[in-house]
């Protein structure tokens, strides 16, 4: 056989493959393409399943202290961990917690409360989707640490300030872990409890029960403060993972029966922001105490809690409410009898009683007063705080050049002869028609007023935003506003007190409610004397001021006549209450001619929150353009006066006698501008 033929026969299949290689390549290409398509479809299905179950993080990029995260549907955009530490324990816990949160692919920020400005920044948490964690230690005598002192002070004042309200932080989610030592039982973890309570009172929503770490290993629930923190951290992380998935293990909102919390249920974020928040807000409206939670059983009485949360038949609800109102009414009547008809005002030993009772001291101290002796007080105005930080001042700064950070707001008499519907203090101060209490000396009152004022200013040292030069100036009082609360002109030694102020080169603005004409006549000159003209007819004055004197109207008119005879700067202060006293323009004009004041301040009433002693609501607060319109119409009726200034933030305008405006047409021009503004807003 020919060898060449054998070789050809063996290689013929290879030649066939070579000849048909195009079809072979095409088959391979089609197979690979099909495999790739199948893999893409499988991966897409997996990704959709993952996105439906929980947000999948991409990669961790450390940038400016944050771990960046990018997701389509974000239920939790990050965690901010705030700490207030003295020895470093809280800071260490913050670091440990941050590391755990990072493992969940969430952005984390660790913030020292000393460097945080709640006035500017805390409101941002309402609209953000962050969860805020507060790790705060309790220091000496139940006080916060130095780093957390300003934050706690701001939070406490905001929670009690009607201007913030119960929905100020609605939408903010938070958790609190307190560090303390149960050896000091009277104030164990007091700061943590307070921060939790104040945030809750402002409308924030707790995502997990408050944790309480105990340095006392004997009494610590888990054997040490570190173990207490680890146990709480596990609970918090579990809750955070549920939130991250768009679900929520519902935390205690304060409605559950003690020891029978039914709050650990899963629900969507939409459900959570709907009916649950309405329930919480309703609960805040009816109860101002700290909400029930499982972390500290000793704080709440079982019987009271059960009675509040027991199931009540709708038919019985009216009876219960009537009973509660009746009890409240009886209590108020009893207090009024005690304050008004304590005939001699003397104790068993025949001595005059102190004006400030223990109950009154507690109530006023909670409102931020620094009480002096037995009948005086001083308080730091929010405008003082504002100007210390280089911001705007109050209307007195705009109208008269008074520097708010150097102004001391005080009173030598907490008592008053009126029970005005718009009283800022909700009638916690005593009432009376004459001085019947024991009396402190004016030297002591002024000395302690300045010292207390300076001590309150000192608390702002190191607070974010406070300017050094303003702080130094704030320590030197240059102006005294005798308008804090009560009726300062009732104090028998008011002239001596004013003399002491002026000897110290401190200017004085004194406000009286126009019920003491004899005292007005006998008053020594002050820098500026105010008379509150809250209404222009007998009926509306009785309705708004609710004076104690039976001859209140004659006293009111005599006070205005006495003002006209004073050889000093005088001011009418008009407080407008919509639907009550804004339609009495002609009567107001007649009162102006009676007292002939140098200035007239017209201000819209400030709503101070709900009170059983007043029927005032937000509906009675006039808009600024309504106040402007009232002033424009009033000025047309009093030809000797012209509009001088405006402070829109305070909803206030100043009318001045033309003798202060000279020959310029500034007042007329101002009136023209205000008219144009009102027209545009309409």
């Amino acid at each position: 056989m020919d060898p060449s033929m054998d070789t050809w026969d063996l290689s013929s299949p290879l030649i066939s493959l070579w000849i048909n290689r195009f079809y072979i390549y095409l088959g391979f290409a089609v197979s690979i393409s099909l495999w790739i398509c199948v893999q893409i479809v499988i991966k897409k299905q997996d990704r959709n399943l993952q996105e439906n179950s929980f947000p999948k993080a991409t990669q961790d990029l450390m940038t400016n202290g944050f771990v960046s995260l990018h997701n389509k549907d974000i239920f939790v955009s990050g965690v901010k961990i705030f700490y207030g530490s003295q020895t470093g324990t809280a800071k260490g816990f913050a670091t440990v917690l941050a590391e755990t949160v990072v493992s969940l692919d969430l952005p984390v920020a660790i913030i020292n409360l000393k460097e945080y400005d709640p006035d500017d920044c805390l409101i941002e948490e309402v609209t953000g989707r962050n969860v805020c964690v507060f790790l705060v230690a309790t220091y000496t005598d139940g006080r916060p640490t130095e780093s957390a002192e300003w934050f706690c002070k701001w939070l406490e004042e905001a929670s009690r300030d009607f201007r913030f309200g119960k929905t100020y932080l609605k939408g903010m989610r938070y958790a609190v872990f307190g560090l303390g030592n149960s050896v000091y039982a009277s104030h164990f973890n007091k700061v943590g409890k307070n921060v939790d309570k104040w945030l809750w009172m402002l409308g924030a929503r707790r995502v997990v029960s408050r944790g309480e770490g105990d340095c006392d290993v004997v009494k610590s629930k888990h054997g040490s403060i570190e173990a207490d923190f680890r146990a709480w951290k596990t609970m918090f992380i579990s809750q955070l993972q549920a939130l991250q998935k768009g679900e929520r293990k519902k935390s205690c909102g304060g409605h559950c029966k003690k020891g029978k919390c039914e709050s650990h249920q899963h629900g969507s974020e939409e459900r959570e922001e709907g009916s649950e928040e309405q329930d919480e807000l309703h609960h805040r409206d009816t109860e101002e105490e700290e909400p029930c939670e499982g972390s500290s059983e000793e704080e709440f009485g079982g019987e009271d809690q059960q009675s509040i949360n027991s199931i009540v038949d709708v038919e019985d609800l009216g009876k219960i409410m009537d009973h509660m109102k009746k009890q409240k009414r009886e209590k108020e009547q009893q207090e009024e009898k005690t304050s008004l008809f304590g005939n001699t005002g003397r104790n068993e030993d025949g001595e005059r009683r102190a004006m400030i009772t223990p109950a009154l001291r507690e109530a006023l101290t909670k409102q931020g007063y620094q009480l002096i002796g037995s009948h005086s007080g001083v308080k730091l105005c929010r405008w003082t705080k504002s100007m210390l930080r280089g911001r705007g001042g109050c209307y007195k700064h705009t109208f008269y050049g008074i520097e708010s950070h150097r102004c001391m707001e005080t009173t030598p008499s907490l008592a008053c002869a009126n029970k005005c519907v718009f009283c800022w203090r909700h009638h916690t101060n005593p009432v009376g028609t004459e001085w019947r209490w024991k009396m402190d000396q004016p030297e002591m009152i002024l000395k302690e007023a300045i010292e207390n004022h300076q001590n309150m200013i000192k608390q702002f040292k190191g607070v974010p935003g406070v300017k050094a030069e303003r702080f130094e100036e704030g320590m030197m009082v240059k102006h005294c506003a005798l308008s804090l609360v009560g009726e300062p002109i009732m104090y028998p030694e008011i002239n001596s007190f004013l003399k002491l102020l002026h000897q110290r080169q401190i200017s004085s603005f004194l406000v009286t409610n126009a019920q003491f004409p004899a005292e007005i006549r006998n008053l020594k000159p002050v820098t500026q004397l105010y008379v509150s003209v809250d209404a222009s007819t007998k009926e509306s004055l009785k309705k708004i001021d609710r004076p104690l004197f039976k001859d209140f109207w004659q006293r009111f008119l005599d006070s205005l006549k006495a003002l006209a005879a004073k050889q000093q700067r005088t001011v009418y202060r008009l407080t407008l209450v919509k639907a009550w006293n804004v339609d009495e323009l002609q009567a107001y004009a007649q009162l102006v001619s009676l007292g002939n004041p140098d200035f007239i301040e017209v201000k819209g009433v400030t709503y101070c929150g709900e009170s059983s002693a007043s029927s005032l609501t937000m509906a009675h607060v006039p808009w600024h353009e309504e106040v402007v319109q009232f002033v424009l119409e009033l000025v047309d009726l009093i030809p000797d006066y012209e509009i001088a200034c405006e402070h829109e933030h305070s909803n206030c305008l100043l009318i001045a006698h033309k003798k202060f405006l000279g020959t310029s047409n500034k007042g007329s021009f101002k009136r023209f501008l205000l008219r144009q503004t009102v027209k545009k807003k309409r």
Side-chain angles (χ1 to χ4, degrees), residues 88-187:
T89 306
K91 183 178 180 181
F93 286 170
T95 304
V96 172
L97 182 61
E99 291 172 354
T100 307
V101 173
V102 165
S103 67
L104 301 178
D105 293 322
L106 282 172
V108 178
I110 299 177
I111 302 169
N112 186 349
L113 285 172
K114 186 176 183 179
E115 300 167 356
Y116 185 74
D117 186 355
D119 207 14
D120 287 338
C121 304
L122 197 58
I123 191 65
E124 296 175 2
E125 306 308 330
V126 171
T127 54
R129 289 186 174 271
N130 294 313
V131 174
C132 298
V133 182
F134 296 89
L135 309 178
V136 287
T138 300
Y139 198 41
T140 309
D141 297 328
R143 290 179 290 128
T145 60
E146 292 179 9
S147 60
E149 192 171 9
W150 162 243
F151 176 82
C152 291
K153 182 177 177 61
W154 182 93
L155 198 62
E156 179 182 15
E157 291 181 352
S159 69
R160 302 186 187 283
D161 193 331
F162 62 86
R163 286 176 291 251
F164 286 87
K166 298 174 184 177
T167 59
Y168 180 70
L169 294 179
K170 180 184 175 183
M172 174 181 170
R173 296 176 290 183
Y174 77 95
V176 175
F177 182 83
L179 296 82
N181 193 324
S182 58
V183 170
Y184 307 100
S186 61
H187 50 256

Side-chain angles (χ1 to χ4, degrees), residues 444-470:
M444 182 275 286
I445 296 173
L446 181 57
K447 178 176 177 292
E448 292 196 17
I450 293 175
E451 288 176 356
N452 278 289
H453 177 81
Q454 290 173 336
N455 288 336
M456 288 187 285
I457 294 288
K458 285 178 184 177
Q459 295 177 10
F460 284 82
K461 189 171 185 179
V463 169
V466 171
K467 300 196 175 292
E469 64 276 10
R470 293 276 177 93

Side-chain angles (χ1 to χ4, degrees), residues 5-30:
M5 289 299 294
D6 290 338
T7 304
W8 178 258
D9 290 339
L10 291 171
S11 60
S12 60
L14 296 174
I15 293 171
S16 177
L17 289 172
W18 175 256
I19 293 171
N20 297 296
R21 64 185 183 279
F22 173 77
Y23 300 103
I24 295 172
Y25 293 158
L26 183 62
F28 273 117
V30 170

Side-chain angles (χ1 to χ4, degrees), residues 334-565:
Q334 185 63 34
E335 289 176 352
E336 191 168 338
K337 283 181 180 179
T338 303
S339 62
L340 284 176
F341 306 112
N343 298 326
T344 61
R346 298 178 184 271
N347 58 23
E348 293 177 357
D349 298 328
E351 296 177 352
R352 285 183 178 268
R353 294 173 180 168
M355 181 187 294
I356 303 176
T357 62
L360 179 60
R361 183 176 295 275
E362 182 182 358
L364 292 175
T365 301
K366 280 184 178 180
Q367 295 177 34
Y369 287 86
Q370 297 294 318
L371 300 177
I372 304 163
S374 63
H375 55 74
S376 306
V378 63
K379 189 179 182 183
L380 207 62
C381 174
R382 70 186 183 101
W383 290 108
T384 301
K385 304 171 190 176
S386 175
M387 214 162 190
L388 280 171
R389 303 168 76 188
R391 301 178 181 180
C394 74
Y395 70 90
K396 290 193 290 289
H397 175 66
T398 304
F399 293 174
Y400 313 112
I402 300 296
E403 295 178 305
S404 302
H405 65 297
R406 307 183 76 176
C407 175
M408 176 176 70
E409 194 172 18
T410 188
T411 182
S413 170
L414 292 163
C416 187
N418 288 351
K419 300 185 73 174
C420 304
V421 294
F422 49 76
C423 178
W424 282 38
R425 317 306 167 195
H426 292 306
H427 312 101
T428 49
N429 54 307
V431 292
T433 57
E434 62 180 357
W435 189 271
R436 50 188 172 80
W437 302 274
K438 71 178 182 180
M439 188 182 69
D440 299 324
Q441 293 304 307
E443 293 82 4
M444 182 275 286
I445 296 173
L446 181 57
K447 178 176 177 292
E448 292 196 17
I450 293 175
E451 288 176 356
N452 278 289
H453 177 81
Q454 290 173 336
N455 288 336
M456 288 187 285
I457 294 288
K458 285 178 184 177
Q459 295 177 10
F460 284 82
K461 189 171 185 179
V463 169
V466 171
K467 300 196 175 292
E469 64 276 10
R470 293 276 177 93
F471 179 81
E472 293 299 326
E473 290 174 351
M475 294 297 291
M476 297 178 288
V477 177
K478 297 300 293 180
H479 178 74
C480 180
L482 294 163
S483 59
L484 181 60
V485 68
E487 181 66 84
I489 208 169
M490 282 180 69
Y491 176 49
E493 293 294 328
I494 185 63
N495 282 326
S496 299
F497 185 80
L498 291 168
K499 183 178 179 181
L500 292 171
L501 279 174
H502 299 158
Q503 285 176 351
R504 289 174 175 254
Q505 302 297 309
I506 299 174
S507 57
S508 56
F509 280 15
L510 185 145
V511 181
T512 176
N513 289 317
Q515 289 296 294
F516 295 92
E519 284 75 4
I520 292 176
R521 284 191 289 267
N522 296 329
L523 188 71
K524 298 294 183 183
V526 295
T527 308
Q528 198 152 279
L529 178 60
Y530 284 76
V531 168
S532 293
V533 181
D534 300 325
S536 59
T537 66
K538 184 177 180 179
E539 293 73 24
S540 57
L541 187 68
K542 184 177 182 179
K543 185 178 180 181
I544 294 173
D545 279 3
R546 297 188 295 186
L548 302 182
F549 285 107
K550 291 183 178 179
D551 58 341
F552 67 91
W553 182 246
Q554 190 58 50
R555 283 177 168 272
F556 177 75
L557 296 177
D558 289 345
S559 294
L560 300 187
K561 293 174 184 177
L563 193 76

